[in-house]
Amino acid sequence: MKIEVWSDFVCPFCYIGKRQLEIALEQFEHKDSVEIEFKSFELDPNAGVYNGKSIHEALADKYGMSIEQAKVNNLQIGQRATEVGLTFNFDNMKPTNTLHAHRLAKFAETKGKEKAMTENLLYAYFTESKNLSEKETLLDVAEASGLDRNEATEILDNESLHLDEVRGDERMAQQYGITGVPFFIFNNKYTISGAQPMETFVGALNQVWKEENEQPKFKDFGSDDAGVCTDDNCSI
């Protein structure tokens, strides 16, 4: 089974949804047959690098709400994160552009380190309050994920490297009509949108596996002519 996941590294529901899926997979008896592929999605492709503005201020400006309301909303999201074992440090988060983080994640995919890189980037942003547009931060995350620091430096220094892969994922998202993340596609056929409850993922995993892998079972009503050819069929 293949699960494609469109997400962004500064999307809180992407981290929560990712963890819900992982918890669900622990309850899925065929988890070793599941392949997860992360796809790039920028919540705000035009976002600048971190400028000192808090996530509360950034959200208040973006959605036309008060800073206090933004704090309330973030508190509620933080509580949801806690329920799945995550810690979100909203007061110190550094909202920023994620293009280079996505490029580096695509490089990690070529080295078989995509899962580690994705998890470490999310953890760095939401829990450690790291600046994902800062070169040294990205290099630290890359090294912690098992990538060669010098090779990662070459990727970041050449802004064209792995850009096509990122843009390809984003074009695919547009073709599929994906306007929000996280977005999960199972076997290019079934979808889940948003950070749904773990039970939703369990149900999807079991249903997809059943439909894609179970063979039809035929009931044998028996025959008195076993091993004989008749006008209808031959049996041995």
Side-chain angles (χ1 to χ4, degrees), residues 29-227:
E29 63 177 312
H30 306 290
K31 63 181 181 181
D32 292 337
S33 298
V34 176
E35 173 192 357
I36 298 177
E37 181 177 328
F38 292 97
K39 299 288 189 179
S40 300
F41 190 101
E42 294 174 90
L43 285 175
D44 185 1
N46 299 314
V49 297
Y50 176 61
N51 59 7
K53 183 177 291 187
S54 73
I55 188 65
H56 307 304
E57 294 171 315
L59 291 176
D61 290 345
K62 182 175 181 178
Y63 295 108
M65 63 176 71
S66 68
I67 292 179
E68 287 306 312
Q69 183 58 56
K71 288 183 177 180
V72 170
N73 291 351
N74 287 333
L75 177 63
Q76 293 172 346
I77 296 172
Q79 290 171 343
R80 286 193 59 183
T82 300
E83 292 172 0
V84 293
L86 300 176
T87 300
F88 284 5
N89 185 8
F90 278 106
D91 288 340
N92 295 309
M93 281 182 194
K94 299 174 175 59
T96 189
N97 186 283
T98 57
L99 176 59
H100 298 315
H102 281 292
R103 289 198 304 111
L104 204 54
K106 287 301 180 186
F107 168 64
E109 183 179 359
T110 68
K111 301 294 184 178
K113 303 294 183 181
E114 177 189 30
K115 290 183 180 179
M117 188 69 180
T118 297
E119 174 65 27
N120 290 338
L121 283 168
L122 289 165
Y123 185 83
Y125 179 77
F126 286 102
T127 303
E128 297 182 320
S129 302
K130 296 293 182 67
N131 180 1
L132 296 190
S133 60
E134 187 176 72
K135 181 178 179 180
E136 290 304 311
T137 294
L138 290 175
L139 292 176
D140 288 343
V141 174
E143 194 169 22
S145 303
L147 297 174
D148 181 88
R149 192 180 188 93
N150 292 329
E151 291 181 341
T153 300
E154 292 177 8
I155 300 301
L156 293 179
D157 287 346
N158 187 339
E159 297 189 5
S160 66
L161 292 177
H162 297 289
L163 180 62
D164 287 345
E165 293 96 314
V166 174
R167 296 305 184 214
D169 285 352
E170 293 173 341
R171 284 193 298 271
M172 191 180 298
Q174 291 179 336
Q175 293 169 1
Y176 287 159
I178 300 172
T179 57
V181 287
F183 196 90
F184 307 81
I185 298 182
F186 294 71
N187 279 3
N188 202 33
K189 184 177 180 182
Y190 307 89
T191 67
I192 291 179
S193 178
Q196 298 298 326
M198 178 269 295
E199 292 79 9
T200 300
F201 288 102
V202 170
L205 289 165
N206 287 323
Q207 184 65 24
V208 171
W209 183 267
K210 179 179 179 180
E211 293 186 14
E212 298 289 330
N213 292 279
E214 281 194 359
Q215 298 298 318
K217 296 180 180 179
F218 298 97
K219 185 174 181 179
D220 183 9
F221 287 95
S223 171
D224 293 333
D225 299 316

